[in-house]
């Protein structure tokens, strides 16, 4: 039996798990325990017990546990062996990522107790973007204040952006170092990145995963004046504003659905709010594509990934039609053909190649673990 890695992604109300064979890339098991704290699954300890029950014999070949951690803050970015000191550093980062980091720390604690003899490794969603050029990472706000509070653009979904950009180079059989790439990670969360020779030069998420593209439930970019206005004039509390921007905005807030399959159904039935949600989503996406093409100068490849990017041909078409002037020529037939594997969807003569590549954050985390060990 080949060695495997257990990959855990602990959120506030769910734990996603997978057992991955890093050498072959095979995913042996994967699943999710949801609704933690809502009755049947009382807490993360109970959730982890369910995970281990489900895994059973699949635990036998596990040599390490890889934990996805959303925010590594200014100092944590290499995949890191978990110890008490590192966990207390992570604890201190809670204010930077109050929605994401505390459940990850909780998940690590519970898993360490359950599996004390295995090494645990934290892999950070911010890591890939740690060395973002200062011009892209810096907010134009009062400099000393930003330094004091570690305010910069950190970027997220890094594991996916890195993995997909490497896969794109492999698919094209070109050296990663020779390519200018744009990666569009469009899932429930969504982010874009511009990558030169394997190194990111810009990304759409910032201090938190709220900036940038329109998402399932998150607003992406808004005028910061809107927050001040809601606080001062609408008298909303900080917590209400945060919840509204994170959970009741995006395509859900505008169009009543998170899932693009359902959003399309509403649009087909003539729902104008759903149509506007879609239009706003596409408009923002096109703006980021254009911005990143300007950042890159020359764009060799644009890759779509994650739930929407891999499956929604209409989103890909509407994001890229009419851009022949920028060197993008989609092949309508290739784009509309569903598939599970990495594939090209641009025309043969398109100066910029457009790809669809399934992301695999679990495999990337498993391989990062092996490197640490
Ligand atoms: P997460 O960000 O939670 O990891 P995913 O990357 O799995 O999410 O993306 C989930 C989203 O992908 C769904 O909410 C839905 O909008 C979209 N999606 C999944 N399958 C399809 C499909 N066949 N057609 C269009 N959209 C899809």
């Amino acid at each position: 039996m080949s060695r495997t890695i257990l990959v855990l992604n602990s959120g506030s109300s769910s734990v996603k798990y997978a057992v991955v064979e890093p050498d072959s890339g095979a995913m042996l098991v994967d699943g999710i325990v949801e609704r933690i704290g809502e009755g049947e699954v009382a807490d993360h300890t109970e959730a982890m017990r369910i995970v281990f029950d489900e895994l059973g014999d699949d635990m036998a070949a596990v040599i390490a546990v890889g934990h996805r951690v959303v925010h590594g803050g200014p100092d944590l970015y290499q995949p890191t062996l978990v110890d008490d000191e590192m966990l207390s550093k992570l604890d201190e980062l809670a204010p930077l990522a109050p929605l994401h980091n505390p459940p990850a720390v909780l998940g690590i604690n519970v898993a360490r107790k359950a599996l004390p003899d295995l090494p645990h490794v934290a892999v950070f969603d911010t890591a890939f973007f740690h060395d973002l050029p200062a011009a892209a990472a810096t907010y134009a706000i009062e400099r000393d204040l930003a330094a004091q509070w570690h305010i910069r653009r950190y970027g997220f979904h890094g594991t996916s952006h890195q993995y997909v950009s490497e896969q794109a180079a492999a698919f094209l059989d070109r050296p990663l170092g020779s390519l200018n790439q744009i990666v569009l990670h469009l899932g429930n969360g969504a982010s874009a990145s511009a990558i030169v020779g394997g190194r990111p030069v810009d990304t759409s998420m910032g201090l938190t995963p709220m900036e940038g593209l329109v998402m399932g439930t998150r607003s992406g970019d808004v005028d910061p004046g809107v927050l001040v206005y809601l606080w001062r004039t609408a008298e909303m509390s900080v917590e209400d504003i945060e919840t509204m921007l994170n959970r009741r905005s995006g395509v859900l807030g505008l169009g009543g659905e998170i899932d693009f399959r359902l959003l399309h159904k509403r649009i087909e039935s003539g729902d104008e709010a759903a149509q506007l949600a879609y239009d706003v989503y596409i408009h923002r996406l096109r703006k980021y594509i254009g911005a990143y093409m300007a950042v890159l100068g020359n764009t060799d490849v644009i890759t779509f990934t994650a739930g929407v990017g891999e499956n929604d041909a209409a989103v890909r078409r509407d994001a890229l039609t009419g851009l022949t002037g920028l060197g993008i020529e989609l092949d309508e037939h290739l784009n509309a053909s569903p598939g599970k594997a990495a594939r090209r969807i641009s025309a043969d003569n398109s100066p910029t190649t457009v790809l669809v590549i399934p992301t695999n954050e679990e495999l990337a985390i498993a391989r990062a673990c092996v490197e640490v060990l």
Side-chain angles (χ1 to χ4, degrees):
M1 201 190 234
S2 182
R3 62 189 186 159
T4 61
I5 307 287
L6 170 62
V7 179
L8 294 175
N9 180 355
S10 306
S12 59
S13 66
S14 72
V15 174
K16 285 188 197 162
Y17 61 94
V19 175
V20 180
E21 231 175 52
D23 299 330
S24 69
M27 176 146 5
L28 305 182
V29 206
D30 71 319
I32 181 167
V33 179
E34 291 178 288
R35 298 175 192 282
I36 297 172
E38 288 180 28
E40 248 171 77
V41 190
D43 53 23
H44 281 75
T45 308
E46 176 68 21
M48 214 58 81
R49 201 168 11 245
I50 295 173
V51 171
F52 295 134
D53 278 353
E54 305 251 313
L55 290 177
D57 293 345
D58 289 312
M59 282 303 296
V62 171
I63 59 159
V65 187
H67 296 269
R68 179 189 183 215
V69 179
V70 169
H71 214 310
D75 302 327
L76 294 169
Y77 51 97
Q78 306 286 10
T80 309
L81 205 59
V82 175
D83 58 22
D84 292 338
E85 189 192 327
M86 185 259 176
L87 270 177
S88 70
K89 265 197 200 160
L90 257 190
D91 260 337
E92 287 166 22
L93 289 176
L96 265 179
L99 304 177
H100 293 104
N101 270 30
V105 172
L106 188 59
I108 293 174
N109 279 323
V110 172
R112 272 179 103 203
K113 254 191 212 127
L115 304 168
D117 298 330
L118 290 181
H120 292 251
V121 176
V123 180
F124 301 96
D125 232 24
T126 45
F128 184 50
F129 300 114
H130 181 260
D131 295 321
L132 216 53
T138 306
Y139 288 110
I141 62 172
E142 198 181 355
R143 193 175 148 156
D144 295 345
L145 189 71
Q148 183 189 350
W149 292 96
H150 308 296
I151 298 171
R152 56 160 277 190
R153 307 193 53 259
Y154 288 92
F156 299 86
H157 292 144
T159 307
S160 177
H161 285 277
Q162 180 170 18
Y163 175 82
V164 167
S165 56
E166 290 169 358
Q167 292 293 307
F171 180 85
L172 297 171
D173 202 16
R174 305 250 316 259
L176 182 63
S178 73
L179 293 175
N180 282 0
Q181 306 197 43
I182 294 175
V183 175
L184 303 168
H185 176 110
L186 309 177
N188 282 321
S191 60
S193 66
I195 300 171
V196 173
R199 290 174 159 269
V201 294
D202 207 347
T203 192
S204 60
M205 285 177 166
L207 175 76
T208 75
M210 286 160 68
E211 189 179 348
L213 299 173
V214 176
M215 316 188 201
T217 65
R218 280 175 242 156
S219 61
D221 296 337
V222 290
D223 176 355
V226 171
L227 317 191
V228 177
Y229 182 74
L230 287 172
W231 176 76
R232 182 193 290 135
T233 308
E235 294 185 4
M236 281 174 73
S237 70
V238 169
E239 287 72 25
D240 285 349
I241 294 171
E242 182 176 51
T243 307
M244 188 277 291
L245 291 171
N246 266 297
R247 302 208 197 285
R248 299 199 305 275
S249 297
V251 289
L252 174 73
L254 287 175
E257 300 286 358
I258 300 177
D259 192 309
F260 271 70
R261 287 162 288 198
L262 304 175
L263 191 71
H264 283 300
K265 286 218 172 89
R266 284 203 190 206
I267 292 170
E268 280 157 28
S269 71
D271 185 327
E272 284 177 16
Q275 181 68 56
L276 179 63
Y278 184 78
D279 293 345
V280 173
Y281 182 93
I282 295 293
H283 182 73
R284 182 85 49 86
L285 187 54
R286 289 173 70 93
K287 286 213 297 195
Y288 268 91
I289 291 166
Y292 285 0
M293 291 185 89
V295 167
L296 291 174
N298 267 311
T299 307
D300 298 300
V301 49
I302 298 177
T303 306
F304 288 88
T305 193
V308 178
E310 291 166 29
N311 298 300
D312 197 320
V315 165
R316 296 192 300 256
R317 179 199 63 210
D318 294 336
L320 297 181
T321 43
L323 299 186
T324 44
L326 295 179
I328 301 172
E329 189 104 44
L330 219 54
D331 181 314
E332 290 276 342
H333 176 72
L334 289 178
N335 181 47
S337 312
K340 285 274 160 254
R343 57 198 186 276
R344 180 175 56 84
I345 57 169
S346 51
D348 279 338
N349 61 349
S350 179
T352 297
T353 304
V354 185
L355 303 176
V356 178
I357 293 184
T359 193
N360 192 339
E361 289 163 286
E362 293 77 11
L363 175 58
I365 290 172
R367 289 191 171 152
C369 279
V370 172
E371 265 171 44
V372 172
L373 303 176

